[in-house]
Amino acid sequence: IAGTTHEPMLPPLPQRRRGSTAAGYLLVIIFVASLSIHVARSGSELLGHQLPTIIRGRSYLNHPRRSIGQGEGFNGNWRISTVIQENSRADILSKRASVFPWFSQASVTIKPAERNQLQPLSSKSVLDDLASLCTDAIFQPSSQRLANDIEKYLYKKIIERYGPSNSNENCLFLAQSESAAVANGLSPSTSPSSVVGCVGLEVVPVTLDGKPEGEDVQPRPLLEFLAVDPSARGRGIGKSLLKQCEAKAREWGYDEIILQVAADNDVAINLYKKAGYSIIAEDNTILRPKEGGLFGGMGFEPALHLCLRKELSSGPFLFPKFF
């Protein structure tokens, strides 16, 4: 047709998604900045420069019972101190964890406590740390004096429950932080301060709701002393400790676990419910520590507790008990 031109039809250019491109650039910038900080710190160490670092340390005076220094926080057992660390792998790891937090979050191991860790005079003893951890996580004492009394009480109870003198089937699991240990130049198995969580399991003759007397008394796995350090919460350590206890109960040949928890401990109750535990009874006869009055000491008072139970699935590795 006269007066017309035939030009090839080209496909339209694709439209760029500005939002996604900007988000991608932002992620790249953040990653490069983090990597630059990490390389700069590592480079400073290689050149011999010492970087001051704030770390959490423990005081181990007058072992096996620590003396509590003045001006220290967290029941007198934790202290914040600024130190100049040596050029070491521990220093590098602690600084790397401050730049990349996910490195420290994956360095918690859970395993049964070793025999020497539950002996008072052993250099590897964790009894002081366990007593302090359980005191704050479970009882939350209102004063330093009450905290000290509860620690001494739990110190003895942990030995009775899970020490070598107990003939009942029992196991105490420890959650130990590798990053906390290497920050002190030690391995987790030789560093008591690396304990960030614990839980105990003991087979005792009790009723279904955890009472020592009743019509249905029989050996049952009783879970106690579940505690996680506040600095390590939100990482699934409590849930992992529960799973270890459940696996151990199956190994012993049981199909249930029972426990008792204070009715006002909402955090622990929510954790148990999410893990599949159900409330089966209430008990207002269980005693809880309290202030002993003007003359010191520690007293006890009745407090409402809930009894929870979980029925364990049989699984392929459940061995029934025939005795």
Side-chain angles (χ1 to χ4, degrees):
I1 302 174
T4 62
T5 58
H6 298 279
E7 297 180 356
M9 299 295 292
L10 299 178
L13 295 176
Q15 298 294 326
R16 291 188 177 181
R17 300 178 62 183
R18 296 183 179 180
S20 60
T21 303
Y25 287 152
L26 181 60
L27 290 176
V28 172
I29 292 173
I30 293 175
F31 177 77
V32 172
S34 301
L35 185 61
S36 300
I37 295 174
H38 171 54
V39 172
R41 291 190 174 192
S42 301
S44 298
E45 293 165 3
L46 293 176
L47 293 175
H49 298 293
Q50 305 296 325
L51 300 178
T53 305
I54 297 178
I55 65 170
R56 303 177 73 193
R58 289 272 191 173
S59 175
Y60 287 97
L61 303 178
N62 299 331
H63 187 79
R65 298 301 304 167
R66 291 190 301 272
S67 63
I68 299 177
Q70 305 212 354
E72 297 181 346
F74 192 71
N75 267 354
N77 298 323
W78 289 96
R79 54 200 169 105
I80 303 296
S81 59
T82 303
V83 298
I84 304 299
Q85 297 179 330
E86 298 293 332
N87 280 334
S88 63
R89 178 174 176 270
D91 193 23
I92 296 174
L93 288 178
S94 64
K95 291 181 175 62
R96 181 179 68 177
S98 65
V99 179
F100 302 102
W102 53 86
F103 277 108
S104 61
Q105 292 185 0
S107 57
V108 174
T109 58
I110 298 177
K111 59 182 181 180
E114 299 176 1
R115 183 184 181 90
N116 53 13
Q117 289 180 307
L118 300 179
Q119 294 178 343
L121 299 180
S122 172
S123 61
K124 296 183 179 180
S125 174
V126 296
L127 291 171
D128 285 315
D129 300 86
L130 292 176
S132 175
L133 176 63
C134 293
T135 296
D136 287 273
I138 299 175
F139 297 102
Q140 301 175 357
S142 57
S143 68
Q144 183 63 56
R145 184 177 68 177
L146 180 59
N148 295 339
D149 291 337
I150 296 177
E151 282 189 28
K152 296 176 183 177
Y153 175 78
L154 293 182
Y155 186 94
K156 298 177 181 179
K157 284 298 178 182
I158 292 173
I159 296 176
E160 292 176 4
R161 295 278 201 279
Y162 311 107
S165 61
N166 188 0
S167 59
N168 294 337
E169 289 179 301
N170 66 86
C171 185
L172 181 68
F173 291 97
L174 303 180
Q176 296 181 275
S177 172
E178 180 181 355
S179 59
V182 298
N184 294 325
L186 301 171
S187 65
S189 60
T190 60
S191 173
S193 61
S194 67
V195 177
V196 295
C198 66
V199 67
L201 190 68
E202 181 188 10
V203 177
V204 292
V206 291
T207 62
L208 187 62
D209 54 356
K211 295 181 180 180
E213 297 179 356
E215 296 180 356
D216 59 340
V217 171
Q218 64 182 46
R220 288 187 169 94
L222 179 65
L223 187 146
E224 291 183 303
F225 296 106
L226 176 62
V228 178
D229 189 273
S231 65
R233 292 176 183 174
R235 297 163 55 180
I237 296 177
K239 183 178 179 180
S240 298
L241 288 168
L242 289 178
K243 288 184 177 179
Q244 292 289 337
C245 287
E246 294 167 8
K248 178 60 68 172
R250 293 190 189 97
E251 179 184 329
W252 290 341
Y254 296 94
D255 59 356
E256 64 176 348
I257 284 183
I258 61 173
L259 61 91
Q260 294 168 327
V261 59
D264 57 357
N265 193 341
D266 296 330
V267 175
I269 294 173
N270 291 333
L271 172 64
Y272 294 135
K273 287 183 176 180
K274 290 180 180 179
Y277 290 79
S278 303
I279 300 175
I280 60 174
E282 295 182 355
D283 191 346
N284 58 4
T285 63
I286 299 178
L287 303 179
R288 182 162 58 183
K290 69 170 185 177
E291 292 280 3
L294 295 176
F295 300 100
M298 181 181 66
F300 293 90
E301 61 181 356
L304 180 63
H305 282 66
L306 304 178
C307 182
L308 286 80
R309 177 181 181 271
K310 180 176 181 179
E311 185 174 350
L312 306 178
S313 57
S314 58
F317 301 107
L318 178 64
F319 298 96
K321 298 184 76 67
F322 296 102
F323 53 89

